[in-house]
Amino acid sequence: MPSFQSLILSDLQYPRHIGDVWSMLENSADTLKSLAIKTPEGSELERFITHRGYVKKPIALPRTELSLQKIQDLHIEGIPYLHKFLEECAPNLINFSNLRMLRLDSCESADRFLLSELSVYRMPKLKSLQLFETGSSLMFDGLLPHLGELKLETLVIALHRHEGRIGWGIIKRELSGSLKRLWIQHMSSASGPYRLLDMTNHHFPYCDTFFPNGWPNLEEVAIDTHYLEGDAVRTTFSHGN
């Protein structure tokens, strides 16, 4: 098996594929810098891990002691109970101290992983955190006040529609000094950041609003336009920071 610097392992459908993943990585412990592991929604692998996690039984998948010492970018999609999965199947796989980018897509029941691993002590080099439909609103209540320690440059929070309201304002308080790219999305019509971003009753220079002031390094913003109400929307983004 060759050694890799970058590897995307997609369409992992069945539990037996986990053993194949470990075999693919076997010779890349000292070379791999970018890794993506993806299982499609509704796959047998996803259902298997979900059931084992829900009933609190061992996941019972192939285990590896492999350690990816140079990993910098990690993208995981569709693997539930991530903390339990890594703890039981690959406890040494990710060298979090070198991680610069972490992206999680549709990883159900990832709260324990996020709360235990997302810290300046575990990930001192992390610059990009991207969470797509991963993490509960309750988890974010505990996580957001501590994100400022990480000095993130990129933050993506795209919440599932069934999640409740989170403290969006904390993002500005904790991360406005370091963020260069920000993506806010909430599929809920009731819990999205409408009030936070409502510009209807504010006027230039908008000193008391979420945007545009107070973000010295912000270069890119991605926000659903239906969150922004009132005629001030055009003014907000034309004046920049």
Side-chain angles (χ1 to χ4, degrees):
M1 186 66 65
S3 60
F4 301 98
Q5 290 191 8
S6 179
L7 189 60
I8 299 175
L9 300 171
S10 60
D11 201 30
L12 304 179
Q13 293 276 358
Y14 304 103
R16 67 175 183 271
H17 286 161
I18 294 300
D20 298 334
V21 169
W22 305 152
S23 297
M24 289 285 291
L25 297 174
E26 187 173 349
N27 292 329
S28 300
D30 297 321
T31 60
L32 195 67
K33 295 182 178 180
S34 178
L35 174 64
I37 299 176
K38 304 180 182 182
T39 181
E41 182 179 0
S43 69
E44 186 174 319
L45 174 60
E46 181 191 36
R47 295 196 303 270
F48 178 83
I49 298 175
T50 297
H51 173 71
R52 304 295 290 190
Y54 182 76
V55 299
K56 298 182 179 180
K57 290 185 177 181
I59 290 182
L61 289 172
R63 179 183 172 96
T64 181
E65 300 299 331
L66 181 69
S67 179
L68 302 175
Q69 290 299 311
K70 295 187 177 180
I71 193 74
Q72 295 180 356
D73 300 335
L74 178 63
H75 179 187
I76 298 178
E77 181 175 328
I79 295 183
Y81 290 93
L82 195 53
H83 186 276
K84 184 177 179 67
F85 171 77
L86 290 175
E87 188 176 73
E88 295 184 16
C89 301
N92 305 311
L93 185 66
I94 306 302
N95 180 12
F96 290 109
S97 63
N98 279 336
L99 212 60
R100 293 183 59 84
M101 188 279 287
L102 175 63
R103 173 172 175 168
L104 303 179
D105 288 64
S106 302
C107 293
E108 294 291 332
S109 303
D111 287 7
R112 184 179 174 187
F113 170 82
L114 292 169
L115 289 172
S116 62
E117 302 297 346
L118 271 177
S119 72
V120 69
Y121 306 104
R122 293 286 287 161
M123 302 184 188
K125 298 181 181 180
L126 192 70
K127 294 300 179 184
S128 177
L129 176 62
Q130 305 173 36
L131 302 175
F132 292 89
E133 297 188 9
T134 296
S136 69
S137 53
L138 289 175
M139 183 280 300
F140 279 107
D141 287 342
L143 178 67
L144 288 177
H146 304 287
L147 281 184
E149 301 171 357
L150 291 170
K151 305 299 181 184
L152 296 173
E153 295 180 359
T154 299
L155 177 64
V156 176
I157 297 180
L159 291 175
H160 194 278
R161 67 175 66 252
H162 66 249
E163 294 297 340
R165 185 176 289 107
I166 70 172
W168 298 105
I170 300 175
I171 295 174
K172 182 172 185 177
R173 188 186 74 199
E174 299 295 333
L175 291 167
S176 59
S178 63
L179 279 184
K180 296 181 179 180
R181 291 163 290 275
L182 175 63
W183 178 341
I184 290 178
Q185 184 175 353
H186 196 321
M187 302 303 293
S188 170
S189 59
S191 300
Y194 298 95
R195 184 177 301 176
L196 173 72
L197 301 174
D198 182 7
M199 305 291 291
T200 305
N201 298 316
H202 298 277
H203 305 282
F204 182 78
Y206 310 112
C207 296
D208 57 344
T209 59
F210 193 73
F211 290 120
N213 298 306
W215 303 86
N217 298 305
L218 198 61
E219 300 171 356
E220 300 176 18
V221 177
I223 296 176
D224 284 353
T225 55
H226 67 267
Y227 291 146
L228 303 171
E229 301 176 2
D231 295 333
V233 175
R234 293 188 301 275
T235 309
T236 299
F237 291 100
S238 63
H239 282 282
N241 291 333

